[in-house]
Amino acid sequence: MLEEIKEKWPEILDFLKQEFELTDISFKTWILPLKVESFENNTLTLIFSGETKMSGLVYVNKKYCQLLKIAIEESINKEINLEITLPNDTEINEEFIDNLADQEMISLENRIQEANLDKKYTFDSFVVGSNNDIAQVTSLAAAESPGEIYNPLFIYGGVGLGKTHLIQSIGNFVLANNPNAKVLYTTSENFTNEVIDLLGNKKNKTSQEDIIEFRQKYRNVDVLLIDDIQFISNKDRTQEEIFNIYNDLFMKHKQIVFTSDRKPKDMEGIEDRLINRFEQGLTVDIHNPDYETRMAILKRKAESLGYDLDESVLQFIANNFTANVRELEGSLTRIISFSKIKRTEITLELAKDALKDLISPNQEEKITCESIINIVAEHYQISVSDICSSKRSKEFTIPRQICMYLCIEYTDDTLKQIATLLKKDNHATISYGKNKISKLMKTDAALKTSVDILKKKISPN
Ligand code: ADP
Ligand code: MG
């Protein structure tokens, strides 16, 4: 049997690589260093002779042992036990291995956090359809071979279509597959505010070292992900910093990915030299999901929430929400919470009832206080119910007052109507809030950036 396995080894590895779609780098790092050692009592022993020894062994065991077992069994047509160990002359300490396994997990979590990523955004949870397949394939290729193929990768598309999901998937994939890779995700808003803090703050003069440290942070990465790049329009210093960081990374063959709500050519208030850079690699778009994709996304989402819903309910949502995946998901969660409140089963009737306020095709474009509050909540990653509450921590009061400011600016609703919506008894609170934001915008540049960006989110053109 040992001889047979040795003979078939190249074929087994080939199968493993193809079947489980291992990247070249993963294959080279983890699989090639494995040698067939012995076969006794139906147990096949492999030796891992990779550079990283103990920590490598732990990782290979965790990630590839099961897959290898399948590939081997497939080839020799027999069930076996599989053991992967280090060469004889290495001391193995079980406790050390257990600790390492834990550390590996912790260290991946830490790296995800340091990269500013959210681990829920992965390629695995991204539903591919005809609207996004090219963006998905090129993102995956960029993640597998950072800096080598599509550089920069520029992904554009409308609101709620999965740009953030994809760009973050790239980062998460790179971190999970390359233990040494450095990834950094940022939004252009966050980046702009960092630049303002560094350069614009005259009162609090920043030292040269802070500036160097800031630039180092962005230049010292293998993959830089900048989300919603459109918001740097008319921000000269920000554009200059991005231009310089871009050039530096590009020369070093480091991967850069941007997302935007429109293609580079249609971006206004951005220097030509930067637009040229955006167009230097590959530009791909995501458009509205077609019916099949909407159904697939809904099914996946329902499943992940632990629900097995009737086709008719999913069809109803898919037919009524066509232009935005976030709304699609939002409708589903609304139906679910509706059924919890009413303590009834989820039926088509219930779905219709739950969504009746949202389905008004001709009003979709109109800016309402509700839509403003939704945008502000989403922007600050807090819930609508926290905005419309009396919670007094700064985390909520500022976004709430920004809602007051924006509702007055963008709608004809009366102060009283706005107050009712925001659950305030006194409508004077609304004008107070508005004035406070107007004043703050004059002194607090970061707040002004956020409000400017919110205005663009409310009314993109
Ligand atoms: P964008 O950044 O383009 O505005 P997001 O990436 O934030 O959009 O997507 C909005 C929501 O829809 C997120 O919860 C995201 O996970 C989900 N989503 C978008 N596209 C898909 C997809 N193809 N498969 C699964 N979920 C998706
Ligand atoms: Mg986004």
Side-chain angles (χ1 to χ4, degrees):
M1 184 55 82
L2 183 62
E3 285 316 306
E4 183 188 346
I5 296 174
K6 278 189 174 164
E7 200 175 299
K8 287 187 167 165
W9 194 238
E11 182 189 310
I12 293 172
L13 294 193
D14 221 35
F15 175 87
L16 178 82
K17 184 161 191 286
Q18 303 302 334
E19 186 70 18
F20 301 111
E21 297 174 356
L22 267 61
T23 61
D24 288 340
I25 175 81
S26 309
F27 188 73
K28 204 168 85 193
T29 314
W30 310 116
I31 306 301
L32 281 184
L34 294 169
K35 301 277 171 295
V36 179
E37 172 73 5
S38 62
F39 187 81
E40 276 163 27
N41 300 332
N42 204 35
T43 298
L44 177 70
T45 306
L46 302 177
I47 301 276
F48 177 74
S49 55
E51 294 280 315
T52 45
K53 297 232 166 58
M54 197 73 98
S55 60
L57 176 73
V58 172
Y59 187 75
V60 171
N61 261 305
K62 197 172 71 201
K63 182 130 193 231
Y64 295 110
C65 192
Q66 212 43 37
L67 304 185
L68 270 161
K69 189 167 172 302
I70 296 171
I72 296 165
E73 289 174 345
E74 190 69 24
S75 163
I76 61 172
N77 233 333
K78 178 173 168 17
E79 280 193 23
I80 55 154
N81 303 316
L82 183 62
E83 257 183 20
I84 308 177
T85 64
L86 291 175
N88 265 341
D89 52 4
T90 338
E91 248 180 67
I92 298 180
N93 176 333
E94 299 279 336
E95 202 179 322
F96 178 70
I97 291 186
D98 284 350
N99 280 340
L100 260 175
D102 291 346
Q103 276 168 19
E104 286 264 355
M105 289 299 287
I106 296 168
S107 95
L108 180 60
E109 298 250 327
N110 282 345
R111 289 167 69 225
I112 290 172
Q113 243 180 22
E114 274 166 25
N116 206 7
L117 289 166
D118 184 335
K119 69 176 176 194
K120 79 172 179 219
Y121 293 123
T122 62
F123 286 117
D124 289 336
S125 60
F126 190 81
V127 175
V128 183
S130 59
N131 62 317
N132 60 25
D133 51 354
I134 295 176
Q136 189 267 355
V137 163
T138 48
S139 296
L140 184 60
E144 288 186 337
S145 316
E148 287 175 27
I149 322 176
Y150 307 124
N151 210 14
L153 178 62
F154 190 100
I155 306 168
Y156 72 92
V159 176
L161 292 181
K163 300 181 299 295
T164 297
H165 192 136
L166 260 190
I167 196 174
Q168 292 224 14
S169 301
I170 296 176
N172 279 318
F173 183 96
V174 171
L175 289 181
N177 289 285
N178 309 290
N180 299 318
K182 279 209 166 149
V183 174
L184 192 55
Y185 166 88
T186 187
T187 60
S188 70
E189 174 184 11
N190 183 33
F191 188 93
T192 303
N193 281 335
E194 280 183 277
V195 173
I196 291 173
D197 268 356
L198 279 180
L199 310 171
N201 206 339
K202 295 204 183 65
K203 266 184 274 164
N204 222 336
K205 212 155 176 23
T206 352
S207 68
Q208 198 58 29
E209 274 129 61
D210 289 337
I211 297 179
I212 292 170
E213 194 186 316
F214 165 79
R215 291 179 181 153
Q216 270 320 101
K217 180 171 94 177
Y218 284 98
R219 288 175 189 206
N220 191 19
V221 297
D222 299 299
V223 178
L224 178 61
L225 310 166
I226 306 188
D227 207 357
D228 285 329
I229 191 72
Q230 73 271 15
F231 295 132
I232 63 168
S233 70
N234 303 319
K235 308 247 184 264
D236 297 346
R237 291 306 306 253
T238 305
Q239 293 187 24
E240 191 179 330
E241 286 299 324
I242 289 195
F243 183 74
N244 291 328
I245 290 168
Y246 175 95
N247 286 340
D248 187 59
L249 288 176
F250 186 81
M251 262 177 13
K252 293 190 292 199
H253 301 286
K254 302 300 186 187
Q255 181 71 47
I256 309 146
V257 186
F258 298 106
T259 71
S260 165
D261 68 345
R262 64 199 75 189
K263 57 171 163 303
K265 268 208 176 50
D266 296 343
M267 296 173 81
E268 284 165 15
I270 294 189
E271 296 168 36
D272 286 345
R273 58 177 189 167
L274 207 44
I275 300 273
N276 289 339
R277 295 300 185 279
F278 294 160
E279 290 177 326
Q280 196 169 13
L282 185 74
T283 302
V284 292
D285 66 341
I286 306 186
H287 18 230
N288 295 353
D290 59 20
Y291 179 76
E292 273 75 37
T293 314
R294 298 202 295 278
M295 285 296 281
I297 291 172
L298 283 170
K299 277 189 187 145
R300 174 78 71 90
K301 179 82 184 173
E303 240 169 58
S304 78
L305 295 170
Y307 284 83
D308 178 17
L309 298 183
D310 198 78
E311 281 287 300
S312 65
V313 173
L314 300 178
Q315 282 166 358
F316 175 72
I317 307 176
N319 279 323
N320 282 288
F321 296 87
T322 54
N324 182 325
V325 179
R326 190 176 293 127
E327 281 178 9
L328 211 57
E329 294 187 340
S331 315
L332 188 64
T333 41
R334 189 173 171 136
I335 292 172
I336 291 173
S337 46
F338 216 71
S339 95
K340 280 189 191 152
I341 295 168
K342 296 206 153 188
R343 294 169 197 260
T344 52
E345 297 253 312
I346 297 176
T347 59
L348 181 58
E349 285 314 305
L350 178 107
K352 283 182 179 166
D353 196 20
L355 301 182
K356 66 175 185 295
D357 302 342
L358 303 180
I359 301 170
S360 43
N362 300 326
Q363 285 176 13
E364 226 174 296
E365 298 299 316
K366 196 163 171 252
I367 300 169
T368 61
C369 287
E370 283 90 348
S371 66
I372 290 173
I373 295 170
N374 278 330
I375 289 171
V376 173
E378 154 104 32
H379 186 87
Y380 285 100
Q381 307 262 311
I382 57 180
S383 71
V384 170
S385 56
D386 282 335
I387 289 195
C388 304
S389 75
S390 47
K391 291 187 186 163
R392 300 191 59 88
S393 79
K394 207 170 165 191
E395 186 192 353
F396 306 127
T397 51
I398 294 286
R400 189 178 301 133
Q401 288 171 333
I402 290 177
C403 286
M404 299 174 188
Y405 172 90
L406 293 169
C407 287
I408 291 177
E409 173 136 348
Y410 282 97
T411 72
D412 298 327
D413 285 15
T414 61
L415 294 179
K416 206 167 164 196
Q417 285 170 315
I418 301 172
T420 310
L421 208 65
L422 289 169
K423 308 235 160 51
K424 294 283 154 219
D425 299 332
N426 187 342
H427 61 75
T429 317
I430 306 298
S431 42
Y432 169 79
K434 177 209 172 221
N435 292 337
K436 180 163 165 214
I437 296 299
S438 304
K439 246 194 230 148
L440 268 180
M441 279 167 66
K442 296 195 182 112
T443 54
D444 183 341
L447 181 96
K448 180 163 185 327
T449 312
S450 301
V451 175
D452 285 345
I453 287 176
L454 280 163
K455 287 181 180 173
K456 287 185 197 160
K457 285 189 173 176
I458 292 167
S459 168
N461 287 308

